[in-house]
Amino acid sequence: MIKFFSQLKQQDKTVFDDLYKTAAKEGPDFFCTMSFGELKRIADFASQHSWEVDLNKIKNKFTPFEFHMIESLQKTNRPEAIEQRERMVKTNTQRSTRFAEHWLSSLQTRRQIEELESKVKQKAPSDMESQWRNLQGIFE
């Protein structure tokens, strides 16, 4: 795991989990928390033990980009293609780090907004019982 993400995970697991869920599901499609070496080892292991390992069963452990890279690394052995994928992973981990830093910097603001929204009085629903009594009073 990239040093930035592993430190964040050690410091505050809930914040890391929120970031990961947000980025993996709603966020950018480039989000990546693993280094190229880790992805390459996973792909190699899955290739060597293909009869035992079903990557689709553990797909939810990876971001979409990471899973795509693992599958892509399994399918190729050309050095040029591997170098290209390594550059892609490096670029996307840098982008992911910048995304996470921005997300963390705006975390306090989002929490304040959520707190204020919870304090705002919601429009009270109409009081059905009092209106019904008033309506009945007309017919009495």
Side-chain angles (χ1 to χ4, degrees):
M1 184 173 281
I2 303 298
K3 186 177 181 180
F4 174 82
F5 292 110
S6 63
Q7 288 175 347
L8 178 62
K9 190 174 184 178
Q10 289 173 353
Q11 290 172 357
D12 194 348
K13 178 113 171 79
T14 58
V15 171
F16 175 79
D17 290 341
D18 290 344
L19 169 66
Y20 192 84
K21 287 176 187 173
T22 302
K25 292 193 172 115
E26 303 167 7
D29 57 352
F30 60 79
F31 192 73
C32 182
T33 60
M34 295 184 175
S35 67
F36 178 78
E38 292 168 324
L39 294 173
K40 181 78 171 128
R41 283 195 305 266
I42 293 168
D44 290 343
F45 180 82
S47 293
Q48 291 171 358
H49 302 284
S50 60
W51 65 92
E52 297 171 3
V53 177
D54 185 9
L55 282 179
N56 288 322
K57 289 184 179 179
I58 58 172
K59 184 177 184 176
N60 62 343
K61 302 282 185 192
F62 306 105
T63 64
F65 175 77
E66 291 168 345
F67 188 73
H68 173 71
M69 270 299 125
I70 291 169
E71 286 183 324
S72 178
L73 287 169
Q74 280 183 303
K75 294 176 184 174
T76 187
N77 60 0
R78 291 186 338 218
E80 307 87 35
I82 292 173
E83 288 175 14
Q84 181 184 14
R85 283 163 181 74
E86 185 175 8
R87 283 193 304 273
M88 286 175 60
V89 170
K90 184 177 179 181
T91 302
N92 285 342
T93 54
Q94 291 171 350
R95 291 173 69 192
S96 300
T97 303
R98 288 193 302 270
F99 172 80
E101 288 170 347
H102 175 71
W103 188 88
L104 290 170
S105 69
S106 63
L107 178 64
Q108 186 64 29
T109 305
R110 283 194 310 277
R111 286 184 177 166
Q112 288 174 349
I113 290 171
E114 289 173 3
E115 181 182 334
L116 291 173
E117 285 177 344
S118 68
K119 290 180 181 179
V120 172
K121 290 185 179 180
Q122 300 296 329
K123 186 175 181 179
S126 61
D127 186 10
M128 188 74 146
E129 291 179 22
S130 66
Q131 290 178 358
W132 178 250
R133 277 186 252 127
N134 289 340
L135 186 59
Q136 285 180 335
I138 295 173
F139 296 110
E140 290 179 351

